[in-house]
């Protein structure tokens, strides 16, 4: 039996604009994890067991758009190719993949990419292979395309590399250093919102008004660049105003919603230095920048304003 895990993620700055070539910053969230366990099959078939969804099925019976099955189908040839190079028999014994995850689905926390990453890591390890981070990221990107349509690649990158990344689509990721750790609260609206839909809506809007949307994306990209510099210079409190500006721009892209705005306003009223939605938007999660002094008060305010779950995390610890 082999088990592997992968973290959730948050986008600090730059979601949506990153799909159009602008930079974005993302960090892994290790409190949230997806786990994949591989065991030998008791019959001649491969099986997938998604514990969260209470669903167990044969790989051969998976639907064409099944992301878990698609991940397996992409990992298998890579393992076989390596085995052939090593002069081993290219035949993999049937296995069972069991998935568990504490990352809420469709909530902007990278659940899909984390599950695929855990699967790739576990399958490769089960068959005695060690993939590079770039290989894992590339394989998971293929699954992300099934799930999200036209993803930028930021989710698979930050999760596979498991470190803070400055990301520009199509370029190698740049890990960045957090000179001074900072506290964030991650609050869940409880509204599931598939990224595929918000990304598709932004694309349709961009196609009707390209100049307006390009200008919004560019400003978001500038914010991401400034934020990276502040984080690397150890001035995290300066991120507060940048988060507020990024949220306003995301509202202009029409990817916020009443529930997210309510949580952002509640956090700011309670003393958060900044707040913004994170991920695809129209539901899912938001972030609030707090200090050890304001953390409790802001958390209570978020819960009172309707947050279904609040996670406290320290970036750069
Ligand atoms: C999703 O975590 C981030 C988005 O920018 C989509 C993407 O980059 O693929 C909304």
């Amino acid at each position: 039996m082999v088990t592997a895990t992968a973290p959730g993620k948050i986008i600090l700055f730059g979601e949506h604009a990153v799909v159009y070539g602008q930079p974005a910053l993302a960090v892994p969230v290790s409190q949230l994890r997806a786990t994949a366990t591989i065991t030998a099959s008791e019959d001649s078939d491969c099986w997938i067991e998604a514990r969260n969804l209470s669903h167990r099925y044969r790989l051969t019976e998976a639907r064409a758009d099944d992301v878990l099955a698609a991940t397996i189908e992409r990992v298998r040839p890579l393992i076989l190719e390596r085995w052939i190079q090593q002069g081993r028999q290219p035949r993999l014994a049937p296995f069972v993949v069991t998935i568990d995850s504490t990352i809420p689905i469709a909530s902007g926390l990278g659940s899909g990419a984390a599950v695929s990453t855990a699967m790739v890591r576990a399958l490769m390890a089960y068959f005695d292979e060690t993939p590079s981070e770039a290989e894992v990221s590339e394989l998971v990107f293929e699954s992300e395309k099934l799930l999200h349509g036209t993803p930028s690649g930021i989710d698979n990158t930050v999760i596979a590399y498991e470190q803070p990344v400055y990301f520009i689509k199509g370029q190698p990721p740049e890990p960045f250093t957090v000179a001074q750790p900072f506290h964030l609260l991650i609050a869940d609206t409880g509204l599931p919102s598939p990224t595929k839909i918000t990304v598709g809506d932004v694309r349709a809007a961009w196609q009707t008004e390209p100049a307006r949307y390009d200008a919004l994306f560019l400003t978001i990209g500038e914010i991401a660049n400034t934020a990276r510099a502040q984080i690397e210079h150890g001035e995290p409190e300066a991120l507060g105003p940048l988060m507020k500006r990024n949220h306003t721009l995301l509202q202009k892209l029409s990817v916020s919603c009443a529930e997210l705005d309510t949580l952002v306003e509640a956090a700011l009223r309670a003393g958060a230095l900044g707040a913004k939605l994170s991920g695809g938007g129209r539901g899912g999660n938001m972030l609030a920048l707090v200090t050890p002094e304001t953390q409790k008060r802001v958390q209570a305010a978020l819960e009172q304003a309707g947050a279904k779950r609040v996670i406290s995390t320290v970036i750069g610890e």
Side-chain angles (χ1 to χ4, degrees):
M1 179 174 106
V2 168
T3 294
T5 71
K9 69 95 211 334
I10 47 175
I11 307 245
L12 297 178
F13 293 95
E15 49 275 272
H16 288 289
V18 69
V19 176
Y20 299 84
Q22 293 299 325
L25 303 179
V27 293
V29 179
S30 49
Q31 289 102 315
L32 300 167
R33 291 202 89 83
T35 305
T37 301
I38 318 293
T39 47
S41 174
E42 284 172 1
D43 56 30
S44 56
D45 289 316
C46 288
W47 291 82
I48 299 174
E49 188 175 345
R51 287 248 169 95
N52 293 34
L53 310 172
S54 308
H55 191 27
R56 189 176 200 275
Y57 52 103
R58 283 186 182 81
L59 179 59
T60 47
E61 288 167 0
R63 289 166 33 154
D65 61 351
D66 185 305
V67 178
L68 304 180
T71 302
I72 296 173
E73 297 301 3
R74 291 206 165 84
V75 179
R76 266 206 301 213
L78 182 69
I79 298 170
L80 291 174
E81 197 183 306
R82 288 187 176 200
W83 279 23
I84 290 167
Q85 278 165 11
Q86 295 158 22
R88 291 174 76 171
Q89 273 283 20
R91 215 176 46 238
L92 304 182
F95 51 83
V96 180
V97 181
T98 306
I99 304 295
D100 260 319
S101 178
T102 60
I103 312 172
I105 293 171
S107 70
L109 299 175
S111 146
V115 165
S116 293
T117 302
M119 282 177 72
V120 172
R121 288 177 175 164
L123 277 165
M124 295 288 283
Y126 184 76
F127 291 108
D128 309 321
E129 293 298 327
T130 314
S132 68
E133 285 153 345
E135 276 173 322
V136 176
S137 181
E138 221 170 281
L139 284 164
V140 176
F141 185 49
E142 295 304 317
S143 312
E144 286 285 283
K145 285 188 200 157
L146 259 188
L147 208 59
H148 295 328
T150 55
S152 64
I154 191 168
D155 286 15
N156 49 286
T157 303
V158 65
I159 290 170
Y161 284 78
E162 214 159 335
Q163 55 185 314
V165 291
Y166 172 86
F167 180 88
I168 298 177
K169 189 174 160 182
Q171 295 186 15
E174 292 177 38
F176 64 89
T177 44
V178 180
Q180 196 188 314
F182 53 96
H183 294 249
L184 287 179
L185 295 177
I186 307 170
D188 197 340
T189 59
L191 290 178
S193 173
T195 306
K196 193 172 189 163
I197 294 178
T198 52
V199 168
D201 287 354
V202 171
R203 182 165 295 277
W206 170 71
Q207 277 161 348
T208 2
E209 286 182 280
R212 174 165 173 258
Y213 276 78
D214 281 339
L216 292 171
F217 297 147
L218 186 68
T219 313
I220 292 174
E222 284 163 2
I223 291 175
N225 279 327
T226 311
R228 177 185 178 172
Q230 311 285 25
I231 294 172
E232 290 188 321
H233 292 148
E235 290 154 14
E237 61 294 335
L239 299 178
L242 296 175
M243 289 171 79
K244 290 188 220 170
R245 279 178 56 207
N246 197 160
H247 186 71
T248 306
L249 290 157
L250 288 161
Q251 285 173 321
K252 290 191 176 153
L253 294 181
S254 300
V255 292
S256 193
C257 62
E259 289 80 356
L260 281 166
D261 291 344
T262 300
L263 293 184
V264 166
E265 281 153 26
L268 294 174
R269 263 202 314 273
L273 295 168
K276 67 179 278 291
L277 72 85
S278 180
R282 296 238 189 95
N285 280 264
M286 55 75 72
L287 312 175
L289 178 65
V290 292
T291 60
E293 293 73 42
T294 59
Q295 178 172 333
K296 272 214 174 107
R297 197 168 66 233
V298 176
Q299 173 152 0
L302 285 167
E303 281 161 359
Q304 213 175 3
K308 299 291 176 289
R309 162 159 98 161
V310 181
I311 297 168
S312 165
T313 189
V314 182
I315 307 301
E317 215 174 28

PDB file of all heavy atoms in Angstrom, residues 9-11 14-19 24 108-110 141 144 148 150-156 167 195 198-199 278-281, ligand 1:
ATOM      1  N   LYS A   9      -4.683  25.137  -1.979  1.00  0.00           N
ATOM      2  CA  LYS A   9      -3.962  26.371  -2.337  1.00  0.00           C
ATOM      3  C   LYS A   9      -4.881  27.585  -2.224  1.00  0.00           C
ATOM      4  O   LYS A   9      -6.108  27.446  -2.247  1.00  0.00           O
ATOM      5  CB  LYS A   9      -3.412  26.277  -3.759  1.00  0.00           C
ATOM      6  CG  LYS A   9      -4.502  26.296  -4.855  1.00  0.00           C
ATOM      7  CD  LYS A   9      -4.738  27.671  -5.421  1.00  0.00           C
ATOM      8  CE  LYS A   9      -6.026  28.113  -5.929  1.00  0.00           C
ATOM      9  NZ  LYS A   9      -7.183  27.799  -6.453  1.00  0.00           N
ATOM     10  N   ILE A  10      -4.243  28.737  -2.069  1.00  0.00           N
ATOM     11  CA  ILE A  10      -5.005  29.984  -2.239  1.00  0.00           C
ATOM     12  C   ILE A  10      -4.261  30.871  -3.228  1.00  0.00           C
ATOM     13  O   ILE A  10      -3.037  30.819  -3.306  1.00  0.00           O
ATOM     14  CB  ILE A  10      -5.231  30.756  -0.911  1.00  0.00           C
ATOM     15  CG1 ILE A  10      -3.938  30.858  -0.099  1.00  0.00           C
ATOM     16  CG2 ILE A  10      -6.361  30.151  -0.105  1.00  0.00           C
ATOM     17  CD1 ILE A  10      -4.061  31.707   1.146  1.00  0.00           C
ATOM     18  N   ILE A  11      -5.041  31.661  -3.946  1.00  0.00           N
ATOM     19  CA  ILE A  11      -4.437  32.676  -4.816  1.00  0.00           C
ATOM     20  C   ILE A  11      -4.404  33.966  -4.001  1.00  0.00           C
ATOM     21  O   ILE A  11      -5.452  34.426  -3.519  1.00  0.00           O
ATOM     22  CB  ILE A  11      -5.267  32.879  -6.093  1.00  0.00           C
ATOM     23  CG1 ILE A  11      -5.508  31.541  -6.771  1.00  0.00           C
ATOM     24  CG2 ILE A  11      -4.624  33.943  -6.996  1.00  0.00           C
ATOM     25  CD1 ILE A  11      -4.928  31.283  -8.089  1.00  0.00           C
ATOM     26  N   GLY A  14      -4.194  38.097  -8.268  1.00  0.00           N
ATOM     27  CA  GLY A  14      -4.075  37.881  -9.712  1.00  0.00           C
ATOM     28  C   GLY A  14      -4.971  36.842 -10.346  1.00  0.00           C
ATOM     29  O   GLY A  14      -4.801  36.554 -11.544  1.00  0.00           O
ATOM     30  N   GLU A  15      -5.954  36.272  -9.595  1.00  0.00           N
ATOM     31  CA  GLU A  15      -6.826  35.283 -10.244  1.00  0.00           C
ATOM     32  C   GLU A  15      -7.556  35.922 -11.432  1.00  0.00           C
ATOM     33  O   GLU A  15      -7.791  37.132 -11.457  1.00  0.00           O
ATOM     34  CB  GLU A  15      -7.838  34.639  -9.279  1.00  0.00           C
ATOM     35  CG  GLU A  15      -8.635  35.555  -8.405  1.00  0.00           C
ATOM     36  CD  GLU A  15      -7.883  35.907  -7.138  1.00  0.00           C
ATOM     37  OE1 GLU A  15      -7.977  35.194  -6.139  1.00  0.00           O
ATOM     38  OE2 GLU A  15      -7.210  36.964  -7.188  1.00  0.00           O
ATOM     39  N   HIS A  16      -7.940  35.132 -12.355  1.00  0.00           N
ATOM     40  CA  HIS A  16      -8.588  35.509 -13.627  1.00  0.00           C
ATOM     41  C   HIS A  16      -7.645  36.255 -14.562  1.00  0.00           C
ATOM     42  O   HIS A  16      -7.463  35.835 -15.710  1.00  0.00           O
ATOM     43  CB  HIS A  16      -9.891  36.300 -13.408  1.00  0.00           C
ATOM     44  CG  HIS A  16     -10.994  35.421 -12.892  1.00  0.00           C
ATOM     45  ND1 HIS A  16     -11.598  34.470 -13.688  1.00  0.00           N
ATOM     46  CD2 HIS A  16     -11.557  35.300 -11.660  1.00  0.00           C
ATOM     47  CE1 HIS A  16     -12.500  33.819 -12.972  1.00  0.00           C
ATOM     48  NE2 HIS A  16     -12.487  34.303 -11.733  1.00  0.00           N
ATOM     49  N   ALA A  17      -6.989  37.334 -14.090  1.00  0.00           N
ATOM     50  CA  ALA A  17      -6.062  38.053 -14.975  1.00  0.00           C
ATOM     51  C   ALA A  17      -4.942  37.109 -15.425  1.00  0.00           C
ATOM     52  O   ALA A  17      -4.406  37.239 -16.526  1.00  0.00           O
ATOM     53  CB  ALA A  17      -5.490  39.266 -14.251  1.00  0.00           C
ATOM     54  N   VAL A  18      -4.611  36.134 -14.562  1.00  0.00           N
ATOM     55  CA  VAL A  18      -3.530  35.186 -14.872  1.00  0.00           C
ATOM     56  C   VAL A  18      -3.854  34.344 -16.113  1.00  0.00           C
ATOM     57  O   VAL A  18      -2.962  33.915 -16.837  1.00  0.00           O
ATOM     58  CB  VAL A  18      -3.225  34.303 -13.622  1.00  0.00           C
ATOM     59  CG1 VAL A  18      -4.379  33.348 -13.324  1.00  0.00           C
ATOM     60  CG2 VAL A  18      -1.935  33.541 -13.768  1.00  0.00           C
ATOM     61  N   VAL A  19      -5.133  34.141 -16.371  1.00  0.00           N
ATOM     62  CA  VAL A  19      -5.537  33.375 -17.554  1.00  0.00           C
ATOM     63  C   VAL A  19      -5.154  34.141 -18.833  1.00  0.00           C
ATOM     64  O   VAL A  19      -4.973  33.567 -19.900  1.00  0.00           O
ATOM     65  CB  VAL A  19      -7.070  33.089 -17.506  1.00  0.00           C
ATOM     66  CG1 VAL A  19      -7.559  32.386 -18.766  1.00  0.00           C
ATOM     67  CG2 VAL A  19      -7.439  32.272 -16.259  1.00  0.00           C
ATOM     68  N   ALA A  24       0.505  36.206 -11.265  1.00  0.00           N
ATOM     69  CA  ALA A  24      -0.329  35.974 -10.074  1.00  0.00           C
ATOM     70  C   ALA A  24       0.535  35.316  -9.004  1.00  0.00           C
ATOM     71  O   ALA A  24       1.579  34.719  -9.311  1.00  0.00           O
ATOM     72  CB  ALA A  24      -1.517  35.082 -10.420  1.00  0.00           C
ATOM     73  N   GLY A 108     -12.546  27.274  -4.703  1.00  0.00           N
ATOM     74  CA  GLY A 108     -11.385  28.142  -4.955  1.00  0.00           C
ATOM     75  C   GLY A 108     -10.125  27.700  -4.237  1.00  0.00           C
ATOM     76  O   GLY A 108      -9.130  28.406  -4.234  1.00  0.00           O
ATOM     77  N   LEU A 109     -10.143  26.494  -3.633  1.00  0.00           N
ATOM     78  CA  LEU A 109      -8.996  26.053  -2.839  1.00  0.00           C
ATOM     79  C   LEU A 109      -8.180  24.953  -3.530  1.00  0.00           C
ATOM     80  O   LEU A 109      -7.355  24.308  -2.899  1.00  0.00           O
ATOM     81  CB  LEU A 109      -9.465  25.595  -1.450  1.00  0.00           C
ATOM     82  CG  LEU A 109     -10.147  26.691  -0.619  1.00  0.00           C
ATOM     83  CD1 LEU A 109     -10.693  26.126   0.694  1.00  0.00           C
ATOM     84  CD2 LEU A 109      -9.197  27.847  -0.320  1.00  0.00           C
ATOM     85  N   GLY A 110      -8.429  24.729  -4.783  1.00  0.00           N
ATOM     86  CA  GLY A 110      -7.584  23.818  -5.564  1.00  0.00           C
ATOM     87  C   GLY A 110      -7.869  22.347  -5.326  1.00  0.00           C
ATOM     88  O   GLY A 110      -6.981  21.505  -5.532  1.00  0.00           O
ATOM     89  N   PHE A 141      -1.964  19.366 -14.977  1.00  0.00           N
ATOM     90  CA  PHE A 141      -2.485  20.422 -15.856  1.00  0.00           C
ATOM     91  C   PHE A 141      -3.466  19.828 -16.871  1.00  0.00           C
ATOM     92  O   PHE A 141      -4.500  20.424 -17.175  1.00  0.00           O
ATOM     93  CB  PHE A 141      -1.321  21.118 -16.563  1.00  0.00           C
ATOM     94  CG  PHE A 141      -1.731  22.296 -17.408  1.00  0.00           C
ATOM     95  CD1 PHE A 141      -2.566  23.281 -16.895  1.00  0.00           C
ATOM     96  CD2 PHE A 141      -1.285  22.430 -18.714  1.00  0.00           C
ATOM     97  CE1 PHE A 141      -2.952  24.375 -17.664  1.00  0.00           C
ATOM     98  CE2 PHE A 141      -1.661  23.524 -19.492  1.00  0.00           C
ATOM     99  CZ  PHE A 141      -2.492  24.487 -18.963  1.00  0.00           C
ATOM    100  N   GLU A 144      -6.635  19.340 -15.185  1.00  0.00           N
ATOM    101  CA  GLU A 144      -7.230  20.653 -14.944  1.00  0.00           C
ATOM    102  C   GLU A 144      -7.988  21.151 -16.168  1.00  0.00           C
ATOM    103  O   GLU A 144      -9.014  21.802 -16.050  1.00  0.00           O
ATOM    104  CB  GLU A 144      -6.137  21.665 -14.586  1.00  0.00           C
ATOM    105  CG  GLU A 144      -5.581  21.492 -13.186  1.00  0.00           C
ATOM    106  CD  GLU A 144      -6.543  22.008 -12.143  1.00  0.00           C
ATOM    107  OE1 GLU A 144      -6.632  23.225 -11.961  1.00  0.00           O
ATOM    108  OE2 GLU A 144      -7.226  21.172 -11.519  1.00  0.00           O
ATOM    109  N   HIS A 148     -11.533  22.541 -15.833  1.00  0.00           N
ATOM    110  CA  HIS A 148     -11.709  23.998 -15.887  1.00  0.00           C
ATOM    111  C   HIS A 148     -11.798  24.584 -17.282  1.00  0.00           C
ATOM    112  O   HIS A 148     -11.962  25.791 -17.408  1.00  0.00           O
ATOM    113  CB  HIS A 148     -10.546  24.691 -15.159  1.00  0.00           C
ATOM    114  CG  HIS A 148     -10.501  24.416 -13.693  1.00  0.00           C
ATOM    115  ND1 HIS A 148     -11.635  24.215 -12.959  1.00  0.00           N
ATOM    116  CD2 HIS A 148      -9.479  24.316 -12.830  1.00  0.00           C
ATOM    117  CE1 HIS A 148     -11.297  23.980 -11.708  1.00  0.00           C
ATOM    118  NE2 HIS A 148      -9.985  24.033 -11.606  1.00  0.00           N
ATOM    119  N   THR A 150     -10.173  26.268 -19.700  1.00  0.00           N
ATOM    120  CA  THR A 150      -8.956  26.975 -20.136  1.00  0.00           C
ATOM    121  C   THR A 150      -8.177  27.474 -18.924  1.00  0.00           C
ATOM    122  O   THR A 150      -8.061  28.680 -18.709  1.00  0.00           O
ATOM    123  CB  THR A 150      -9.309  28.178 -21.031  1.00  0.00           C
ATOM    124  OG1 THR A 150     -10.232  29.009 -20.289  1.00  0.00           O
ATOM    125  CG2 THR A 150      -9.933  27.763 -22.328  1.00  0.00           C
ATOM    126  N   PRO A 151      -7.648  26.560 -18.110  1.00  0.00           N
ATOM    127  CA  PRO A 151      -6.947  27.014 -16.903  1.00  0.00           C
ATOM    128  C   PRO A 151      -5.611  27.666 -17.256  1.00  0.00           C
ATOM    129  O   PRO A 151      -5.025  27.373 -18.296  1.00  0.00           O
ATOM    130  CB  PRO A 151      -6.700  25.717 -16.133  1.00  0.00           C
ATOM    131  CG  PRO A 151      -6.620  24.657 -17.179  1.00  0.00           C
ATOM    132  CD  PRO A 151      -7.544  25.102 -18.293  1.00  0.00           C
ATOM    133  N   SER A 152      -5.142  28.542 -16.358  1.00  0.00           N
ATOM    134  CA  SER A 152      -3.835  29.170 -16.588  1.00  0.00           C
ATOM    135  C   SER A 152      -2.702  28.205 -16.272  1.00  0.00           C
ATOM    136  O   SER A 152      -1.601  28.340 -16.780  1.00  0.00           O
ATOM    137  CB  SER A 152      -3.701  30.402 -15.693  1.00  0.00           C
ATOM    138  OG  SER A 152      -3.722  30.002 -14.331  1.00  0.00           O
ATOM    139  N   GLY A 153      -2.962  27.244 -15.356  1.00  0.00           N
ATOM    140  CA  GLY A 153      -1.911  26.337 -14.898  1.00  0.00           C
ATOM    141  C   GLY A 153      -1.382  26.701 -13.522  1.00  0.00           C
ATOM    142  O   GLY A 153      -0.485  26.040 -12.995  1.00  0.00           O
ATOM    143  N   ILE A 154      -1.951  27.739 -12.911  1.00  0.00           N
ATOM    144  CA  ILE A 154      -1.414  28.173 -11.607  1.00  0.00           C
ATOM    145  C   ILE A 154      -1.734  27.158 -10.497  1.00  0.00           C
ATOM    146  O   ILE A 154      -0.900  26.904  -9.632  1.00  0.00           O
ATOM    147  CB  ILE A 154      -1.915  29.594 -11.232  1.00  0.00           C
ATOM    148  CG1 ILE A 154      -1.132  30.115 -10.019  1.00  0.00           C
ATOM    149  CG2 ILE A 154      -3.418  29.643 -10.995  1.00  0.00           C
ATOM    150  CD1 ILE A 154      -1.317  31.585  -9.732  1.00  0.00           C
ATOM    151  N   ASP A 155      -2.923  26.544 -10.539  1.00  0.00           N
ATOM    152  CA  ASP A 155      -3.308  25.626  -9.452  1.00  0.00           C
ATOM    153  C   ASP A 155      -2.399  24.396  -9.421  1.00  0.00           C
ATOM    154  O   ASP A 155      -1.850  24.032  -8.379  1.00  0.00           O
ATOM    155  CB  ASP A 155      -4.765  25.170  -9.611  1.00  0.00           C
ATOM    156  CG  ASP A 155      -5.760  26.259  -9.249  1.00  0.00           C
ATOM    157  OD1 ASP A 155      -5.337  27.425  -9.162  1.00  0.00           O
ATOM    158  OD2 ASP A 155      -6.945  25.941  -9.064  1.00  0.00           O
ATOM    159  N   ASN A 156      -2.232  23.748 -10.598  1.00  0.00           N
ATOM    160  CA  ASN A 156      -1.371  22.554 -10.618  1.00  0.00           C
ATOM    161  C   ASN A 156       0.063  22.917 -10.249  1.00  0.00           C
ATOM    162  O   ASN A 156       0.769  22.140  -9.594  1.00  0.00           O
ATOM    163  CB  ASN A 156      -1.422  21.857 -11.983  1.00  0.00           C
ATOM    164  CG  ASN A 156      -1.226  22.785 -13.158  1.00  0.00           C
ATOM    165  OD1 ASN A 156      -2.125  23.537 -13.496  1.00  0.00           O
ATOM    166  ND2 ASN A 156      -0.055  22.749 -13.750  1.00  0.00           N
ATOM    167  N   PHE A 167       3.569  33.308 -10.741  1.00  0.00           N
ATOM    168  CA  PHE A 167       3.253  32.505 -11.924  1.00  0.00           C
ATOM    169  C   PHE A 167       2.810  33.371 -13.093  1.00  0.00           C
ATOM    170  O   PHE A 167       1.940  34.232 -12.946  1.00  0.00           O
ATOM    171  CB  PHE A 167       2.132  31.514 -11.552  1.00  0.00           C
ATOM    172  CG  PHE A 167       1.715  30.621 -12.679  1.00  0.00           C
ATOM    173  CD1 PHE A 167       2.372  29.419 -12.910  1.00  0.00           C
ATOM    174  CD2 PHE A 167       0.660  30.982 -13.516  1.00  0.00           C
ATOM    175  CE1 PHE A 167       1.989  28.590 -13.963  1.00  0.00           C
ATOM    176  CE2 PHE A 167       0.268  30.160 -14.562  1.00  0.00           C
ATOM    177  CZ  PHE A 167       0.944  28.962 -14.784  1.00  0.00           C
ATOM    178  N   THR A 195     -15.061  26.707 -11.060  1.00  0.00           N
ATOM    179  CA  THR A 195     -14.164  27.677 -11.717  1.00  0.00           C
ATOM    180  C   THR A 195     -14.445  27.752 -13.215  1.00  0.00           C
ATOM    181  O   THR A 195     -14.321  28.809 -13.828  1.00  0.00           O
ATOM    182  CB  THR A 195     -12.697  27.251 -11.474  1.00  0.00           C
ATOM    183  OG1 THR A 195     -12.529  27.113 -10.081  1.00  0.00           O
ATOM    184  CG2 THR A 195     -11.708  28.281 -11.974  1.00  0.00           C
ATOM    185  N   THR A 198     -17.031  30.552 -13.959  1.00  0.00           N
ATOM    186  CA  THR A 198     -16.593  31.955 -13.847  1.00  0.00           C
ATOM    187  C   THR A 198     -15.532  32.273 -14.904  1.00  0.00           C
ATOM    188  O   THR A 198     -15.555  33.342 -15.504  1.00  0.00           O
ATOM    189  CB  THR A 198     -16.054  32.279 -12.431  1.00  0.00           C
ATOM    190  OG1 THR A 198     -15.076  31.314 -12.072  1.00  0.00           O
ATOM    191  CG2 THR A 198     -17.154  32.319 -11.409  1.00  0.00           C
ATOM    192  N   VAL A 199     -14.627  31.314 -15.146  1.00  0.00           N
ATOM    193  CA  VAL A 199     -13.590  31.550 -16.159  1.00  0.00           C
ATOM    194  C   VAL A 199     -14.257  31.718 -17.541  1.00  0.00           C
ATOM    195  O   VAL A 199     -13.890  32.605 -18.318  1.00  0.00           O
ATOM    196  CB  VAL A 199     -12.539  30.410 -16.165  1.00  0.00           C
ATOM    197  CG1 VAL A 199     -11.640  30.493 -17.383  1.00  0.00           C
ATOM    198  CG2 VAL A 199     -11.684  30.477 -14.905  1.00  0.00           C
ATOM    199  N   SER A 278     -10.827  34.867  -3.239  1.00  0.00           N
ATOM    200  CA  SER A 278      -9.661  34.112  -3.707  1.00  0.00           C
ATOM    201  C   SER A 278     -10.136  32.958  -4.585  1.00  0.00           C
ATOM    202  O   SER A 278     -11.031  32.198  -4.200  1.00  0.00           O
ATOM    203  CB  SER A 278      -8.880  33.572  -2.511  1.00  0.00           C
ATOM    204  OG  SER A 278      -7.750  32.848  -2.958  1.00  0.00           O
ATOM    205  N   GLY A 279      -9.548  32.856  -5.789  1.00  0.00           N
ATOM    206  CA  GLY A 279      -9.932  31.759  -6.687  1.00  0.00           C
ATOM    207  C   GLY A 279     -10.927  32.244  -7.731  1.00  0.00           C
ATOM    208  O   GLY A 279     -10.932  33.415  -8.102  1.00  0.00           O
ATOM    209  N   GLY A 280     -11.782  31.359  -8.159  1.00  0.00           N
ATOM    210  CA  GLY A 280     -12.710  31.665  -9.249  1.00  0.00           C
ATOM    211  C   GLY A 280     -13.778  32.683  -8.886  1.00  0.00           C
ATOM    212  O   GLY A 280     -14.274  33.421  -9.729  1.00  0.00           O
ATOM    213  N   GLY A 281     -14.188  32.741  -7.607  1.00  0.00           N
ATOM    214  CA  GLY A 281     -15.198  33.705  -7.166  1.00  0.00           C
ATOM    215  C   GLY A 281     -16.623  33.232  -7.318  1.00  0.00           C
ATOM    216  O   GLY A 281     -16.874  32.063  -7.588  1.00  0.00           O
TER     217      GLY A 281
HETATM  218  C1  LIG B   1      -8.414  29.453 -10.113  1.00  0.00           C
HETATM  219  O1  LIG B   1      -7.770  28.988  -8.946  1.00  0.00           O
HETATM  220  C2  LIG B   1      -7.719  30.672 -10.646  1.00  0.00           C
HETATM  221  C3  LIG B   1      -8.311  31.252 -11.911  1.00  0.00           C
HETATM  222  O2  LIG B   1      -7.470  32.343 -12.277  1.00  0.00           O
HETATM  223  C4  LIG B   1      -8.355  30.247 -13.037  1.00  0.00           C
HETATM  224  C5  LIG B   1      -6.992  29.850 -13.561  1.00  0.00           C
HETATM  225  O3  LIG B   1      -6.019  30.566 -13.349  1.00  0.00           O
HETATM  226  O4  LIG B   1      -6.916  28.801 -14.216  1.00  0.00           O
HETATM  227  C6  LIG B   1      -9.710  31.798 -11.689  1.00  0.00           C
END
